[in-house]
Amino acid sequence: MDEERLVRLVARGDRAAFEELYRRTSPWMAVRLRRRCADEQIVAEVMQETYLAVWRAAGAFAGAAVGGSATGWLWTIAARRLVDAFRRRAHHAEPPPAAAVPDAAPAAEEEALAATVGGDVGDALRRLAPELRQVLQAMVLDGLSVRETAVLLGLPEGTVKTRARRARIAMRRTLA
């Protein structure tokens, strides 16, 4: 039984299907979340919130009828929950001192990117504008489709395609 069928069964309240979906998808979900966030507490919270949302909203899953996949749908939920967690943390964080900090620590996403992609390619990727880098990360590193990337980033599909093309052109120029 594939993940899409499991989501459909979860929508009918099938706990065994939910447990099987969790067993199949939670390992890669945790790995993907850890690539974007080094804080295990946040990763655990996002995992819990994601699967709670899946249990509650499985009936809203449109699936292959709209060109999506169950795993893409799960990742979209998780990515949004991760952004929400970062926003909550930023909202409750202490404001930085007024003095400028010359050696600011890199963002968790930048550290994960450095660990994943190194050398000239990593340098070229880090030089991209943030909106171009986000699209490339989602499509290349996370393996999402144009449609899934559009949903994840809240952009029209045409914008995702344009940014992906601009990012590839910029990468070629930098690496030439």
Side-chain angles (χ1 to χ4, degrees), residues 33-39 86 105-114:
L33 288 169
R34 285 185 189 111
R35 270 200 240 154
R36 296 185 180 257
C37 178
D39 188 327
F86 285 148
E109 190 169 81
E110 292 299 321
E111 290 177 3
L113 182 61

Side-chain angles (χ1 to χ4, degrees), residues 21 70 80 94 144 147 159-160 166 170-171:
L21 182 68
R80 288 181 177 165
E94 291 289 319
L144 298 179
R147 180 176 301 242
T159 302
V160 169
R166 286 178 47 211
M171 292 284 290

